[in-house]
Amino acid sequence: MSTFPITKRGAEQLKAELHRLKTVDRPTVIQAIADARAQGDLSENADYDAAKERQGFIEGRIAEIEGKLSAAQVIDPGTLDAGGRVVFGSTVDLEDEESGKSVTYQIVGEDEADLKLGLINVGSPIARALIGKEEGDVAEVQAPGGTRRYEIVAVRYE
C-alpha cells in the first residue's frame, strides 16, 4: 500500500474520530444490540436490524481509519522550509486576476479537505496548478466556467 500525505492536524482529527468510535460509539451499539435481543424474536425486530446496521458502519469506519493512519505520511506544515514554493501543507494567499477577489487556501490531504474552511485537496485542479509556484507567480486553473488566473500573493507554512 502506498503512502498518502496528511497534515499533522488531519492525523490528529482521524485519531480523535477513531478513539470516539472505539470508546463511545462501539460500546453504545453493542448495548443497543443486547437490548434489542432481550426483546425476543429477532426476525421482526427493527431495533435489532438498525443496531446491526449501525454496528457494520462503525466497524467499517474503524477499519478504514486504521488503514489510512497506517499508510499516512504525516507532514507538519510548521516545520516545512520549501524556499517560498507552494507545497503540500502550505497556506497560499491568492488574488483572482479578473475579479480582484482575494482568497486563502491551505493544501491538505483528501480526508481533510473542506472548501468552506479554505482547505483544498492536494489532488484538486487548483492545488495542482499551485504546487511548485512561488510568490508573484500566476497559476492558471481550468475551471468549469473556463480558465481562471490567480496571482500568488503570499506563501506561508503554518
Side-chain angles (χ1 to χ4, degrees):
M1 178 183 259
S2 62
T3 62
F4 69 96
I6 189 169
T7 64
K8 185 177 176 185
R9 179 184 64 236
E12 288 169 359
Q13 289 172 340
L14 282 178
K15 287 175 186 174
E17 181 182 356
L18 181 62
H19 179 73
R20 180 185 49 79
L21 286 168
K22 285 183 170 182
T23 61
V24 177
D25 295 355
R26 182 188 270 168
T28 301
V29 80
I30 289 171
Q31 184 60 48
I33 291 170
D35 292 346
R37 277 194 178 133
Q39 294 174 5
D41 183 14
L42 298 180
S43 64
E44 295 182 17
N45 189 329
D47 291 341
Y48 178 78
D49 291 339
K52 287 298 282 184
E53 186 175 318
R54 178 83 177 129
Q55 181 185 36
F57 172 79
I58 290 169
E59 295 303 326
R61 184 65 180 150
I62 287 171
E64 179 184 4
I65 292 172
E66 287 175 338
K68 286 180 179 185
L69 288 174
S70 69
Q73 176 186 2
V74 180
I75 297 171
D76 183 356
T79 63
L80 293 176
D81 182 16
R85 287 189 342 271
V86 178
V87 295
F88 178 87
S90 59
T91 301
V92 186
D93 297 327
L94 304 171
E95 183 176 305
D96 186 321
E97 285 192 340
E98 187 176 310
S99 68
K101 181 180 174 189
S102 295
V103 66
T104 300
Y105 294 125
Q106 181 180 17
I107 300 174
V108 298
E110 180 181 344
D111 291 314
E112 307 168 78
D114 186 345
L115 192 56
K116 293 176 187 150
L117 300 176
L119 305 172
I120 58 172
N121 181 352
V122 68
S124 69
I126 191 164
R128 289 194 318 261
L130 293 171
I131 297 286
K133 302 257 191 293
E134 297 178 347
E135 189 175 313
D137 288 350
V138 174
E140 290 188 5
V141 179
Q142 297 300 323
T147 303
R148 307 288 305 238
R149 293 173 49 91
Y150 294 96
E151 180 182 348
I152 299 173
V153 177
V155 179
R156 299 185 309 276
Y157 311 103
E158 47 190 37

